[in-house]
Amino acid sequence: MARLNLSETGQAFLKEWESDCDYIVAHTSGSTGKPKEIRLLKEDMRQSARATNRFFGIGPDSLLISPLSTEYIAGKMMVVRALESDCCLIEENPSNHPLKAGYGTVALLPVVPSQIPGLLESEYVRDVLNVIVGGAPMSPAQEQLIMAVSSMKVYATYGMTETCSHVALREIGSHYYQALPGIRFELDSRSCLKIIAPDFSFKELQTNDVVTL
């Protein structure tokens, strides 16, 4: 059984998650248009969580730390990943100085770029095995700064609210994103990315992101 140490916001999300409704209400980021309310199927969120757990080898003995608000999809998905893997999750109050205490070896820690300087100031940063960075692109200076901590692997994320968090990860230092397990990509006639996800309810999702595949 998952061990969860959640904030009030996290507990409110858990109550919504455990309800009989088969979806949760979320909001898009607004990065490509006006923010909007959408419904995410819980089964799609489970599929996303399982893919991330497989990628990072997260299991019952793992520890996850989340300094992100569960008002947003990134924070919600950390709870779902813990539930799906039966591991331990500690939710910190969101701030620009995450990892406020020593918890032991941390399997996964998500941050946004503005939290990177504060994370690197933590005396416990070397306890972290994997960091995922989302919400906005990192600057080259931020990438160089965080690469200096050789004890952990750091990944930039690619995804959107509609895909229940990321569908691809790029290890810092590499130029290429790698699809999560169960996800593949194609291009349309405009060279825009199409996300192929057979295990998700949407099956395919066409983006307007021009990419080199």
Side-chain angles (χ1 to χ4, degrees):
M1 179 178 293
R3 289 88 68 202
L4 307 176
N5 186 337
L6 301 177
S7 66
E8 288 186 10
T9 306
Q11 292 170 10
F13 167 67
L14 184 62
K15 185 176 180 180
E16 180 183 14
W17 182 260
E18 292 177 340
S19 73
D20 293 334
C21 188
D22 63 357
Y23 64 85
I24 64 126
V25 175
H27 295 83
T28 60
S29 64
S31 58
T32 58
K34 185 178 179 180
K36 59 183 180 180
E37 182 178 287
I38 62 173
R39 294 177 176 181
L40 297 177
L41 291 179
K42 292 178 181 177
E43 185 54 33
D44 282 346
M45 296 174 71
R46 293 187 185 99
Q47 289 289 350
S48 174
R50 292 167 192 155
T52 297
N53 289 345
R54 288 199 299 271
F55 187 95
F56 289 109
I58 294 169
D61 295 330
S62 300
L63 169 63
L64 311 182
I65 304 295
S66 179
L68 303 178
S69 172
T70 43
E71 292 182 355
Y72 301 100
I73 187 63
K76 296 179 194 295
M77 286 306 303
M78 289 300 291
V79 177
V80 182
R81 289 166 193 147
L83 293 171
E84 285 299 304
S85 62
D86 287 331
C87 73
C88 179
L89 168 68
I90 298 174
E91 184 185 4
E92 293 188 337
N93 290 326
S95 77
N96 280 333
H97 289 83
L99 208 61
K100 298 178 179 67
Y103 306 102
T105 301
V106 179
L108 184 64
L109 174 76
V111 295
V112 295
S114 62
Q115 292 175 307
I116 290 174
L119 172 63
L120 297 182
E121 291 174 0
S122 170
E123 63 181 293
Y124 307 107
V125 68
R126 297 189 182 278
D127 293 338
V128 182
L129 300 180
N130 300 289
V131 173
I132 51 177
V133 186
M138 280 179 282
S139 68
Q142 286 174 321
E143 291 204 14
Q144 289 296 323
L145 192 65
I146 204 165
M147 280 176 62
V149 183
S150 59
S151 59
M152 64 186 182
K153 292 187 175 182
V154 183
Y155 298 82
T157 61
Y158 173 82
M160 56 211 73
T161 305
E162 292 89 338
T163 59
C164 308
S165 187
H166 50 261
V167 292
L169 297 167
R170 175 178 64 85
E171 187 171 357
I172 300 306
S174 170
H175 297 294
Y176 300 101
Y177 284 85
Q178 178 180 346
L180 287 187
I183 305 289
R184 61 185 178 87
F185 301 125
E186 294 180 358
L187 296 180
D188 70 1
S189 60
R190 305 168 299 160
S191 294
C192 290
L193 185 70
K194 179 187 290 186
I195 300 167
I196 312 296
D199 294 332
F200 288 73
S201 63
F202 55 81
K203 305 299 182 185
E204 297 182 3
L205 186 63
Q206 180 64 57
T207 77
N208 293 315
D209 296 335
V210 176
V211 304
T212 299
L213 188 61

